[in-house]
Amino acid sequence: DGGITQSPKYLFRKEGQNVTLSCEQNLNHDAMYWYRQDPGQGLRLIYYSQIVNDFQKGDIAEGYSVSREKKESFPLTVTSAQKNPTAFYLCASSAGAGSYEQYFGPGTRLTVT
Amino acid sequence: GENVEQHPSTLSVQEGDSAVIKCTYSDSASNYFPWYKQELGKRPQLIIDIRSNVGEKKDQRIAVTLNKTAKHFSLHITETQPEDSAVYFCAALYGNNRLAFGKGNQVVVIP
């Protein structure tokens, strides 16, 4: 998991602003994932990407967007359409091709006021 | 559908005793079931996983058992220590290599 980085660790924004969270990995993993964590809610999947230039919606994609232009990068944009954006956001990656283990980045705590 | 449930939500144990957390999953689950440990403010860490072709897997003080007929799998921690205090998440693999996570169990080890 040391090969996955997220920045920044804490992020503060005003309501109505879009914000982009960074996720980078140097593990040469094909698949990358974005999760949202709220107290008592576990981890909920926002978007995932199995390969470069392709991504799919997860369970709570509304108000979020992603891109996967490079294998090592999977940025998440939290748009102003997201009704309750304050949360802890976790990025993960896995090797793919039958290797299912997901490794997480350190997370970004986003606070929108 | 994709659904994973964990019980109990909070578990308190005396140091040295064993802790057991059980998860159930829905019909469409695949063949991979990991367990993650998350300390306060930190990232989830994979601690053990099991595939459906085995019924039990051990790694030092932790073990996972899988009952595919009953659709449940359990995490066993023996000889608990204060550093075992954390939130533990189970998960099950579904289509497109997606993991569905349970809501987590808070384990508190009392010294």
Side-chain angles (χ1 to χ4, degrees), chain A:
Chain A
D1 57 47
I4 303 177
T5 58
Q6 291 183 244
S7 60
K9 187 172 183 179
Y10 298 98
L11 191 54
F12 298 89
R13 280 293 183 270
K14 292 292 186 184
E15 194 173 315
Q17 294 178 334
N18 291 354
V19 59
T20 298
L21 281 59
S22 166
C23 178
E24 304 278 332
Q25 54 97 2
N26 62 3
L27 302 169
N28 199 34
H29 283 174
D30 284 323
M32 297 185 74
Y33 308 81
W34 274 106
Y35 295 91
R36 170 181 172 139
Q37 186 172 31
D38 297 284
Q41 291 296 316
L43 301 171
R44 293 184 290 170
L45 183 65
I46 304 172
Y47 267 99
Y48 62 107
S49 168
Q50 304 277 24
I51 197 167
V52 176
N53 292 322
D54 188 39
F55 51 83
Q56 289 82 40
K57 292 182 179 180
D59 300 318
I60 54 166
E62 185 176 351
Y64 299 98
S65 66
V66 293
S67 62
R68 187 82 187 279
E69 297 176 1
K70 299 187 294 182
K71 187 175 186 177
E72 57 271 21
S73 179
F74 191 40
L76 173 74
T77 297
V78 184
T79 74
S80 57
Q82 168 51 231
K83 297 283 187 264
N84 186 18
T86 295
F88 188 49
Y89 290 88
L90 286 158
C91 178
S93 71
S94 68
S99 179
Y100 307 128
E101 297 85 353
Q102 289 189 19
Y103 298 96
F104 286 84
T108 292
R109 188 165 298 278
L110 173 65
T111 303
V112 177
T113 58

Side-chain angles (χ1 to χ4, degrees), chain A residues 1-2 4 33 35 37 40-43 45 48 50 57-59 88 90 98 100-106, chain B residues 2 30-32 36 38 41-46 49 51 89 93 95-104:
Chain A
D1 57 47
I4 303 177
Y33 308 81
Y35 295 91
Q37 186 172 31
Q41 291 296 316
L43 301 171
L45 183 65
Y48 62 107
Q50 304 277 24
K57 292 182 179 180
D59 300 318
F88 188 49
L90 286 158
Y100 307 128
E101 297 85 353
Q102 289 189 19
Y103 298 96
F104 286 84
Chain B
E2 304 170 5
S30 185
N31 62 347
Y32 175 69
Y36 286 83
Q38 187 178 30
K42 299 200 174 172
R43 74 185 82 189
Q45 299 266 15
L46 177 67
D49 55 19
R51 301 206 179 202
F89 293 97
L93 186 75
N96 286 336
N97 289 347
R98 299 167 45 145
L99 286 177
F101 285 84
K103 293 189 176 181

Side-chain angles (χ1 to χ4, degrees), chain B residues 33-104:
Chain B
F33 306 90
W35 283 91
Y36 286 83
K37 174 184 180 181
Q38 187 178 30
E39 297 176 9
L40 189 62
K42 299 200 174 172
R43 74 185 82 189
Q45 299 266 15
L46 177 67
I47 56 171
I48 196 167
D49 55 19
I50 192 168
R51 301 206 179 202
S52 59
N53 57 345
V54 297
E56 183 177 7
K57 183 177 178 181
K58 288 184 179 179
D59 183 3
Q60 300 182 340
R61 293 187 301 107
I62 61 173
V64 55
T65 57
L66 172 65
N67 184 329
K68 288 215 78 176
T69 302
K71 293 185 178 56
H72 66 72
F73 56 112
S74 300
L75 178 70
H76 304 254
I77 307 172
T78 59
E79 300 173 22
T80 53
Q81 301 168 5
E83 53 264 37
D84 294 329
S85 295
V87 177
Y88 292 82
F89 293 97
C90 63
L93 186 75
Y94 289 89
N96 286 336
N97 289 347
R98 299 167 45 145
L99 286 177
F101 285 84
K103 293 189 176 181

